[in-house]
């Protein structure tokens, strides 16, 4: 294996001895458990895929044995936490230049412990060329897979599993990348693959697709003809030339034919009448740049025109472009987009894919893994292990060039359960979870990136403290810091790297990075303690609530929900107070709350509604552990139950900050049931149901929820959705439209956000919405 | 079905706009009340040929690379490099058919004064394209002695000059083989001549008009093509000549429909290729255009315009492409150093494009069965040129040939898609996978 040496030293040749800029074990991770290899070898890039398992620590909570009732009160913590090893499935995809292929195969061979694997699925034009090398190095039989089938399988996979996969590219606008919302159905669509030639495929279902046309004028034409015209050898160089050229020096434009009259005739003078038309009529020398540009326009326009004609004929408006001609090159994305807009008069959108380069490898892998049926699972992009979309435009980001000699990674985690839409979404196809698009809003982006940078020290400290017995906790925490810091820096320059940048994606990325370094739940101890304290106060709170009159009680319940929500370790303003003043109590929190009228205040309507008939079933998304869920949410739940409303309480499947997890909620409910007959009977009679959201994020994406939750919602006929907390009700879902009544409540624990919304710190959002008839 | 016309498709067709320009003017006169012109043209003067072609599946590639077929080329095809006047810029859309714009009032007055008479000689039609100017000249052969006497000196000299030469200056050429003899137009018998010269010599042409004192003839110069606009000012200020500008697409269709009814000196102008993929059986057959609508008209000039024609005066421009004759010629100039269109074609006739293009079999070793693509289909035009060794191994002829095939295949693909989209479906003959070589034939057979 090549040593990790100075980068760039091998930039000259096609030799296979280039040094690799990353330690190989950080590229080909988890090889020891790897199985099911697939490889896609293109003209210049190799994409390797494998399936592996990741063993990592998870914090498990377990109720103490309550058979001995007397000892219960003596236990300080309400439950015990144990750290266990858990094995999860992960897909690894690595993209590198063909020149590294031998070195990479050597590395894989040396680290491949698992000998079960006998074959490797191979696709791409180079699969044939490297067949012998692969078979010799890896001792695996090469099984060739059809290129287009792989491409389409891969495309279906990313469109289904990566919410922000497809984007439109708008040069010059801000942001240049506009990501499409996750569509409930990805079919039908048109896939235009621009490799050496062009293939146009209509995809109707997972397994049904049809090659409907193609063109021989593609990337190979650009490269081949470009090489002849400009004596430039590499594709990237050609693109670079093209980006600096003036095509009007070579092309015959309408204005060249019509003179100035095009204006009076209503013609656009800048349209190309004849590509390379001027090179036929003049004896002048043409610059390489101008010819490359003219060629780029000629080919892009032609592809765009054909794609539009096919889209129109087959009545398709979603057209995805892929292939090495596109490969994230802003220059070609721009010209293709222009062409599509021009020829379709805006009716067809040119869509590009973030993981376009991986489609073949993903598809080949899926072909080989059919018996494992990977398509029955939901998968999730792991932000910690994925490089994200890099701009390959030299002028867009000069630092990018240094990356060309390195490796691009994509990792996808298998989720235990499939994810689906919340059935109560008004319009799933237009639902956007996030409230603020940070790619769009430069000021907000700057603020939040800085905010996350500043909070990083605290997170590191918390992570170390959560594992007092671990010898390498400090070291791992430091690695986490470095990783997340790097991600934040990447996002400053490439906010589009993982799709639309949002507060949610920043939070999720942090969770992924923490998991990466085996800090599965840094807040487990904090949550344990908070839950213990809050449980002790539960009965007192219930008594005082029960003493109130009906109308007073309703307000107190809502205030309790809000006050509980102040207990949020995720908010820096609060964690500062909590760190310095552990006695910061529930009452104190209530005092901090803004007085009515709140910043957003539809409480009166809610109260009015409560005077009416009870809801059939309420779906509540809980937020934090401790005071929030125990003293805020449960009394509210209890009141709904007393009214005759069934309640589905949905908590996160996995840990995120101090958010209450599903397993914690089970214990908490059990403990409360022991104290409270209303909750006890409701649990027993299944009028109170606890379920998991399917998420491990402090935010909430209603289009990716656990299937079990969706089933419950349908079965019980939920007609009220309560979303609590800044992450779930403000950063996300603030504008979410539902088909039933909804309550979105939160305390704004961030002064910048409060200011943006026109309020102060600890301003209250109480948003009660009734769908229009 | 669709027509291909223009300077790549079939050289005769390039005359259609120029002729149409003249005819368009006749129609105008008709509208103005020149009664006797209303009668159908007795002895039609035919000009433009149109190539009707069977269409084929647009394979990602093109012509059968295995059978490299020598291009049959007529000696006189040297005259082929005329530009179909239509500016085929993408998106150029015509809402109004033929319009007089600009300094029309003066010409209208003049036309008014001509009401009772047929237009004065000389009869010209001018199509000023992006690359070439096409000039149609009607030479009356039935001049009476009386007329001969009346004929002013300058008119006489124009007639003599145009009809007694085949080349004008260093770049003007009269395509003698296209000449239509002994036809009747507006009640006059005569021959129709076709002359072309490069658009960049337009200033010299205008200067000549000034030197020969054209303006004294009080003729109306009917002109179409983009250059009719571009050079209008020059005609007026330098030559003291007013152009009667006519819409080029209007002229194109008028010209094509007209000449179709006429035939080329007794032969049909519209033809198609049967068994185009089979060099043995391939033959050029006349196509019956008596009931042609709807039809797709593919006009290949510097660029390409595609029109859907529903009736004589109901048509729309569907689309166009910038990959046209100008692209073929332009790229050939850059790649081979050739200087004339004829030279480019000649080279193309001798080349082997399979050395330049990457075929399906180069990638898959044979047919790509998953999608039913034959191994000989072109997968990537110029795709082999990505490799340095292969770049060094090709000849200029190979490059010219590949350029030709790239452009023609692409036009075929787009035309076929337009035919489907515009629902001229019923006119698209059964598509055949192998039928890729007829496009080549357009080139090859003039």
């Amino acid at each position: 294996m090549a040593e990790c040496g100075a980068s760039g030293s091998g930039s000259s040749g096609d030799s296979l001895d280039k040094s690799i800029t990353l330690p190989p074990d950080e590229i080909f991770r988890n090889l020891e458990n790897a199985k099911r290899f697939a490889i896609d070898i293109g003209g210049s890039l190799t994409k390797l895929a494998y399936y592996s398992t990741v063993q990592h620590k998870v914090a498990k909570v377990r109720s103490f044995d309550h058979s001995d009732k007397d000892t219960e009160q003596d236990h300080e913590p309400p439950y015990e936490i144990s750290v266990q090893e858990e094995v999860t499935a992960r897909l690894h995809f690595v993209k590198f230049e063909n020149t590294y292929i031998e070195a990479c195969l050597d590395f894989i061979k040396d680290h491949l412990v698992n000998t079960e694997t006998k074959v490797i699925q191979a696709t791409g034009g180079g699969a044939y060329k490297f067949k012998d090398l692969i078979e010799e190095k890896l001792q695996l039989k090469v099984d060739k897979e059809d290129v287009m089938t792989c491409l389409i399988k891969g495309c279906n996979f990313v469109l289904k599993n990566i919410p922000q996969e497809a984007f439109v590219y708008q040069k010059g606008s801000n942001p240049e990348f506009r990501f499409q919302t996750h569509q409930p159905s990805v079919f039908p669509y048109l896939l235009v693959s621009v490799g050496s030639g062009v293939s146009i495929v209509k995809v109707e279902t997972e397994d049904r697709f049809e090659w409907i046309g193609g063109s021989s004028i593609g990337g190979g034409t650009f490269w081949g003809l470009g090489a002849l015209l400009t004596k430039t050898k590499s594709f990237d160089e050609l693109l670079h030339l093209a980006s600096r050229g003036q095509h009007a020096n070579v092309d015959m434009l309408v204005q060249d034919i019509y003179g100035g009259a095009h204006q009076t005739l209503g013609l656009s003078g800048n349209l190309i009448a004849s590509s390379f038309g001027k090179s036929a009529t003049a004896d002048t020398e043409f610059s390489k740049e101008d010819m490359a540009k003219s060629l780029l326009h000629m080919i892009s326009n032609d592809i765009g025109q054909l794609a539009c004609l096919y889209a129109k004929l087959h009545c398709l408006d979603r057209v995805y472009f892929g292939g090495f001609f596109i490969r994230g090159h802003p220059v070609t994305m721009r010209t293709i987009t222009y062409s599509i807009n021009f020829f379709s008069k805006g009716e067809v959108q040119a869509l590009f894919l973030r993981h376009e380069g991986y489609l073949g490898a993903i598809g080949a892998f899926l072909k080989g893994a059919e018996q494992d049926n990977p398509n029955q699972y939901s998968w999730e992009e792991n932000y910690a292990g994925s490089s994200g979309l890099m701009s390959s435009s030299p002028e867009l980001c000069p630092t990018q060039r240094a990356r060309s000699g390195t490796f691009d990674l994509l990792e996808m985690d298998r989720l235990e359960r499939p994810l689906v839409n919340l059935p109560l979404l008004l319009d799933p196809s237009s639902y956007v979870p996030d409230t603020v698009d940070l790619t769009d809003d430069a000021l907000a982006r700057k603020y939040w990136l800085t905010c996350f940078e500043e909070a990083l020290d605290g997170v590191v400290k918390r992570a170390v403290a959560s594992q007092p017995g671990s010898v390498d906790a400090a070291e791992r925490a430091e690695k986490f810091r470095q990783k997340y810091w790097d991600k934040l820096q990447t996002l400053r320059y490439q906010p589009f790297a993982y799709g639309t940048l949002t507060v949610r994606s920043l939070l999720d990325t942090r969770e992924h990075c923490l998991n990466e370094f085996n800090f599965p739940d840094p807040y487990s101890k904090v949550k344990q303690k908070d839950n213990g304290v809050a449980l002790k106060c539960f009965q007192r709170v219930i008594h005082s609530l029960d003493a109130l009159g009906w109308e007073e009680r309703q307000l107190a319940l809502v205030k309790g929900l809000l006050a509980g929500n102040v207990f949020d370790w995720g908010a820096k303003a609060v964690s500062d107070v909590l760190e310095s003043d552990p006695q910061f109590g529930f009452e104190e929190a209530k005092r901090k709350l803004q007085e009515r009228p709140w910043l957003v205040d539809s409480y009166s309507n809610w109260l009015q509604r409560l005077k009416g008939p009870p809801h059939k079933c309420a779906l509540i998304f809980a937020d934090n552990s401790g005071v929030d869920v125990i003293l805020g949410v449960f009394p509210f739940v209890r009141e709904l139950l007393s009214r005759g409303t069934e309640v589905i309480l949905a908590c996160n499947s996995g840990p995120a900050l101090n958010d209450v997890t599903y397993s914690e909620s089970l214990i908490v409910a059990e403990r409360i049931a022991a104290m409270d007959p209303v909750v006890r009977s409701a649990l027993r009679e299944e009028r109170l149901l606890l379920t998991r959201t399917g998420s491990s994020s402090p935010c909430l994406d209603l289009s990716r929820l656990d299937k079990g939750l969706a089933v419950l919602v349908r079965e019980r006929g939920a007609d009220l959705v309560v979303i609590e907390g800044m992450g779930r009700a403000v950063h996300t879902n603030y504008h979410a439209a539902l088909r039933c009544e909804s309550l979105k409540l939160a305390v704004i624990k961030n002064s910048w956000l409060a200011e943006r919304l026109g309020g102060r710190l600890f301003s209250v959002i109480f948003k009660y919405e009734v769908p229009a008839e | 079905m669709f027509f291909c016309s223009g300077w790549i498709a079939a050289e005769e067709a390039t005359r259609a706009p120029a002729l149409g320009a003249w005819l368009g003017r006749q129609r105008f006169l008709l509208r103005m009340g020149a009664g006797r012109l209303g009668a159908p043209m007795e002895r039609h003067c035919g000009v433009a040929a149109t190539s009707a072609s069977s269409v084929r599946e647009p394979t990602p590639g093109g012509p059968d690379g295995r059978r490299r077929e020598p291009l049959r080329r007529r000696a006189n095809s040297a005259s082929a490099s005329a530009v179909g006047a239509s500016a085929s810029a993408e998106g150029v859309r015509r809402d109004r058919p033929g319009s007089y714009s600009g300094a029309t009032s003066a010409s209208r007055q003049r036309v008014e004064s001509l009401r009772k008479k047929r237009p004065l000689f000389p009869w010209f039609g001018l199509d000023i394209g992006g690359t070439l100017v096409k000039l149609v000249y009607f030479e009356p052969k039935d001049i009476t002695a009386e007329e001969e006497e009346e004929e002013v000196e300058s008119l006489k000299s124009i007639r003599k000059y145009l009809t007694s030469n085949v080349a004008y200056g260093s770049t003007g050429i009269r395509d003698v083989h296209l000449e239509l003899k002994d036809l009747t137009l507006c009640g006059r018998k005569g021959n129709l001549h076709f002359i072309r010269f490069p658009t960049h010599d337009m200033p010299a042409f205008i200067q000549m008009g000034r030197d020969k004192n054209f303006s004294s003839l009080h003729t109306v110069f009917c002109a179409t093509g983009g250059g009719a606009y571009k050079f209008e000012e020059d005609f007026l200020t330098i030559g003291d000549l007013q152009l009667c500008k006519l819409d080029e697409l209007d002229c194109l269709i008028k010209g094509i429909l007209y000449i179709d009814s006429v035939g080329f000196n007794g032969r049909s102008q519209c033809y198609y290729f049967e068994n185009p993929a089979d060099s043995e059986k391939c033959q050029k057959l006349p196509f019956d255009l008596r009931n042609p609508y709807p039809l797709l008209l593919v006009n290949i000039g510097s660029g390409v315009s595609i029109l859907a024609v529903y009736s004589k005066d109901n048509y729309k421009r569907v689309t166009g492409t910038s990959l046209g004759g100008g692209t073929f010629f332009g790229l050939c100039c850059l790649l081979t150093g050739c200087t004339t269109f004829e030279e480019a074609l000649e080279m193309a006739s001798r080349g082997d494009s399979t050395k330049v293009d990457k075929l399906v079999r180069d990638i898959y070793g044979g047919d790509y069965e998953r999608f039913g693509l034959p191994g000989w289909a072109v997968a990537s035009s110029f795709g082999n040129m990505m490799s340095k060794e292969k770049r060094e191994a090709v000849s200029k002829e190979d490059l010219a040939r590949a350029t030709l095939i790239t452009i023609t295949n692409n036009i075929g693909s787009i035309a076929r898609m337009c035919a489907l989209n515009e629902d001229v479906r019923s006119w698209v003959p059964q598509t055949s996978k192998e039928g890729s070589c007829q496009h080549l034939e357009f080139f090859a057979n003039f």
Side-chain angles (χ1 to χ4, degrees), chain A residues 674-691:
Chain A
M675 297 182 266
D676 184 85
V678 179
V679 171
R680 185 164 59 236
S681 62
L683 274 175
R684 199 175 50 227
E685 292 157 21
E686 293 189 345
R687 284 182 289 112
L688 171 58
L689 299 146
L690 276 68
T691 185

Side-chain angles (χ1 to χ4, degrees), chain A residues 463-511:
Chain A
V464 177
S466 73
Q467 297 180 357
S470 165
V471 283
D472 64 346
E475 192 189 322
R476 280 186 286 118
E478 210 41 56
K479 281 187 183 164
F480 154 74
R481 181 211 299 276
Q482 198 52 52
K483 182 127 201 170
Y484 190 54
W485 180 266
D486 288 348
K487 294 276 170 198
L488 291 174
Q489 300 324 304
T490 302
L491 289 168
R492 266 195 200 275
Y493 296 103
Q494 325 242 54
F496 45 79
Y498 299 98
T500 302
L501 184 67
T502 59
V503 174
R504 176 168 65 110
S505 71
L506 287 169
L507 284 164
D508 289 353
T509 306
R510 189 165 72 186
E511 295 301 324

Side-chain angles (χ1 to χ4, degrees), chain A residues 146 148 196-197 209 211 216 220-221 223 225 227 254 256-258 261 267 271-275 279-280 302 305 309-310 313, chain B residues 58 60 87 89-90 92 94 226 229-230 248 302-303 319-320 322 326-327 330 368 370-371 379-381 386 391 410 414 421:
Chain A
D146 174 63
M148 284 310 295
S196 303
F209 58 88
W211 189 91
S216 65
T221 315
W223 193 345
L225 198 45
V254 168
D256 295 322
I257 298 177
Y258 278 81
L267 305 175
L271 291 176
I272 304 170
S274 175
S275 294
S279 63
D302 194 54
Q305 180 172 26
L309 285 166
Y310 279 102
L313 189 64
Chain B
E90 303 130 60
V92 177
R94 285 308 138 74
Y229 296 89
K230 187 176 177 178
E248 60 188 283
S302 303
T319 188
S322 67
T327 315
Y368 186 18
R370 181 69 183 78
F371 290 141
S380 173
S381 296
M386 292 187 273
R391 278 203 295 277
N410 190 59
I414 291 172
N421 269 324

Side-chain angles (χ1 to χ4, degrees), chain A residues 41 55 128-129 150 173 177 243 247 270 429 447 463 584 629 691 700 704 735:
Chain A
I41 307 175
Q55 200 166 33
Y128 186 78
K129 190 173 153 195
C150 291
S173 70
F177 296 75
S243 65
H247 75 98
N270 288 324
S429 60
Y447 168 78
F584 185 81
V629 68
T691 185
L700 182 64
R704 281 169 72 82
H735 301 300

Side-chain angles (χ1 to χ4, degrees), chain A residues 46-308:
Chain A
T46 297
K47 284 78 71 172
L48 185 81
Y50 56 94
Y51 169 97
S52 187
T53 49
V54 192
Q55 200 166 33
H56 53 85
K57 293 189 172 64
V58 284
K60 292 273 184 197
V61 292
R62 195 162 61 92
S63 213
F64 289 115
D65 188 358
H66 296 305
S67 53
D68 184 3
K69 291 244 178 207
D70 296 337
T71 60
E72 194 185 325
Q73 298 302 319
D74 303 328
H75 281 295
E76 185 57 32
Y79 51 85
E80 62 180 347
I81 304 168
S82 60
V83 174
Q84 294 175 11
E85 294 285 333
E86 196 180 70
V87 174
T88 54
R90 184 175 288 177
L91 295 183
H92 291 263
F93 302 96
V94 185
K95 186 162 73 181
F96 50 88
E97 286 175 35
N98 286 355
T99 45
Y100 294 114
I101 196 161
E102 194 164 353
C104 290
L105 292 176
D106 279 332
F107 180 84
I108 292 165
K109 183 186 68 185
D110 292 345
H111 291 79
L112 197 59
V113 188
N114 187 327
T115 50
E116 266 174 52
T117 306
K118 294 276 186 288
V119 291
I120 178 165
Q121 260 65 34
T123 185
Y128 186 78
K129 190 173 153 195
F130 289 100
K131 181 174 179 281
D132 293 341
L133 183 72
I134 298 167
E135 294 196 331
E136 180 213 314
K137 293 277 178 195
L138 295 185
Q139 301 292 309
L140 297 176
K141 189 179 153 293
V142 169
D143 228 356
K144 280 205 71 181
E145 297 291 347
D146 174 63
V147 177
M148 284 310 295
T149 311
C150 291
L151 201 61
I152 289 151
K153 272 190 169 297
C155 192
N156 292 340
F157 185 81
V158 294
L159 287 174
K160 275 192 306 190
N161 289 291
I162 302 181
Q164 304 221 312
E165 179 61 32
F167 60 90
V168 295
Y169 181 78
Q170 298 157 303
K171 175 73 184 170
S173 70
N174 195 4
E176 291 188 331
F177 296 75
R178 198 164 280 286
F179 289 90
Q180 300 292 291
T181 55
H182 193 48
Q183 292 299 310
S185 169
V186 302
F187 306 107
Y189 65 87
L190 203 62
L191 179 65
V192 181
S193 172
V194 191
S196 303
V198 182
S199 283
I200 301 175
V201 184
K202 176 184 174 185
V203 186
E204 285 171 300
T205 66
E206 184 65 53
D207 301 305
R208 202 167 74 232
F209 58 88
E210 187 192 353
W211 189 91
I212 55 172
S215 164
S216 65
I217 300 182
T221 315
F222 179 67
W223 193 345
L225 198 45
L228 289 167
L229 292 171
T230 67
K231 315 278 181 263
T232 303
K233 288 184 200 83
S234 88
F235 180 76
D236 286 358
E237 254 177 275
L238 266 173
L239 275 184
H240 192 58
L241 281 179
S243 65
R244 288 179 287 146
Q246 296 293 328
H247 75 98
N249 294 336
V250 183
D251 289 341
M252 186 184 286
L253 307 186
V254 168
Q255 65 193 10
D256 295 322
I257 298 177
Y258 278 81
H262 63 88
Q263 278 160 329
T264 49
L265 290 169
L267 305 175
S268 171
N270 288 324
L271 291 176
I272 304 170
S274 175
S275 294
F276 286 91
K278 277 184 190 154
S279 63
T281 52
D283 298 326
T284 36
E285 282 283 306
F286 297 93
S287 82
K288 290 177 177 186
E289 286 82 358
D290 295 348
M291 287 189 291
K293 177 75 164 198
S294 174
L295 188 59
L296 176 70
H297 275 295
M298 175 178 108
I299 290 167
S300 300
N301 284 339
D302 194 54
I303 294 169
Q305 180 172 26
L306 275 172
C308 283

Side-chain angles (χ1 to χ4, degrees), chain B residues 113-395:
Chain B
S113 72
L114 295 171
R115 287 178 85 157
K116 297 285 185 292
K117 302 190 270 177
R118 66 173 60 91
L120 289 174
F121 288 123
W123 292 354
F124 282 122
L126 198 57
D127 174 13
I128 312 168
T131 312
L132 282 182
V133 181
K134 283 74 62 178
L135 179 70
V136 185
Y137 169 64
F138 183 79
E139 174 204 4
K141 296 297 264 186
D142 57 356
I143 298 177
T144 59
E146 192 185 324
E147 273 180 317
E148 181 105 40
E149 224 162 83
E150 273 180 26
E151 197 173 41
V152 292
E153 208 44 47
S154 57
L155 182 58
K156 209 170 288 177
S157 80
I158 287 169
R159 182 154 51 90
K160 293 252 164 67
Y161 175 68
L162 291 177
T163 55
S164 59
N165 289 306
V166 292
Y168 314 93
S170 59
T171 54
I173 289 168
R174 181 155 62 88
D175 288 318
V176 184
H177 64 284
L178 296 177
E179 183 178 334
L180 290 167
K181 294 203 170 79
D182 197 26
L183 48 84
T184 307
L185 197 58
C186 301
R188 299 298 303 250
K189 270 184 182 308
N191 298 341
L192 208 50
H193 299 275
F194 300 96
I195 296 160
R196 65 188 157 92
F197 58 90
T199 305
H200 60 74
D201 286 335
M202 214 40 215
F205 178 79
I206 296 169
Q207 189 59 45
M208 184 187 77
R210 180 197 172 103
D211 296 346
K212 305 232 169 192
N213 207 12
F214 266 35
S215 56
S216 65
L217 295 169
H218 300 291
T219 186
V220 179
F221 241 98
C222 288
T224 188
Y229 296 89
K230 187 176 177 178
F231 296 103
E232 184 182 25
E233 186 72 13
D234 290 352
F235 269 101
L236 196 64
T237 55
I238 300 169
D240 191 25
L241 284 165
Q242 261 168 342
L243 291 186
C244 166
K245 299 197 298 299
L246 291 156
D247 180 81
E248 60 188 283
L249 298 182
D250 226 23
C251 291
L252 173 69
I253 288 170
K254 200 167 180 60
I256 280 182
L257 294 177
Y258 176 65
I259 55 93
D260 164 62
S261 56
V262 171
F264 177 70
N265 295 330
R267 283 186 285 127
S268 171
Q269 296 282 349
C270 181
Y271 53 91
Y272 71 104
F273 291 94
E274 198 170 76
N275 303 315
D278 189 330
S279 58
E280 316 261 295
K281 290 192 210 147
C282 181
Q283 50 178 328
K284 183 171 155 181
L285 295 174
F287 190 86
D288 186 357
L289 263 181
R290 266 174 304 188
N291 185 20
Y293 308 110
L295 65 86
L296 206 68
L297 178 57
V298 182
N299 186 46
I300 309 173
S302 303
V304 180
S305 274
I306 299 179
L307 316 178
V309 187
Y310 301 102
S311 73
K312 185 158 65 67
D313 30 41
N314 178 13
Y315 72 89
K316 66 172 178 181
R317 186 179 185 281
V318 179
T319 188
T321 165
S322 67
L323 282 88
T327 315
F328 165 68
F329 185 30
L331 281 175
C332 277
C333 290
L334 293 171
L335 292 171
T336 69
C338 69
T339 52
T340 65
F341 189 74
E342 289 71 27
E343 202 184 333
L345 273 180
E346 204 276 325
M347 284 176 127
S349 73
R350 287 183 286 122
D352 177 0
S353 63
T354 63
K355 290 186 178 152
V356 180
D357 294 339
K358 192 174 279 235
L359 307 186
V360 168
R361 63 160 182 257
D362 295 333
I363 299 175
Y364 297 100
D367 298 349
Y368 186 18
E369 279 157 21
R370 181 69 183 78
F371 290 141
L373 296 176
W376 49 260
V378 183
S380 173
S381 296
F382 287 86
N384 277 343
M385 298 297 92
M386 292 187 273
S387 136
K388 186 163 172 282
E389 296 73 45
K390 288 183 177 158
R391 278 203 295 277
E392 283 160 2
V394 292
S395 68

Side-chain angles (χ1 to χ4, degrees), chain A residues 406-442:
Chain A
T406 66
F407 289 67
D408 193 89
L409 311 176
L410 166 65
E411 293 184 6
M412 303 212 35
D413 288 324
R414 193 176 81 190
L415 303 174
E416 290 315 302
R417 301 154 68 95
L419 301 181
V420 295
N421 272 316
L422 177 68
L424 297 170
L425 281 178
L426 186 65
D427 176 17
S429 60
S430 67
Y431 168 73
V432 180
D434 306 284
T435 308
V436 180
D437 177 347
L438 299 183
T439 32
D440 213 356
D441 187 335

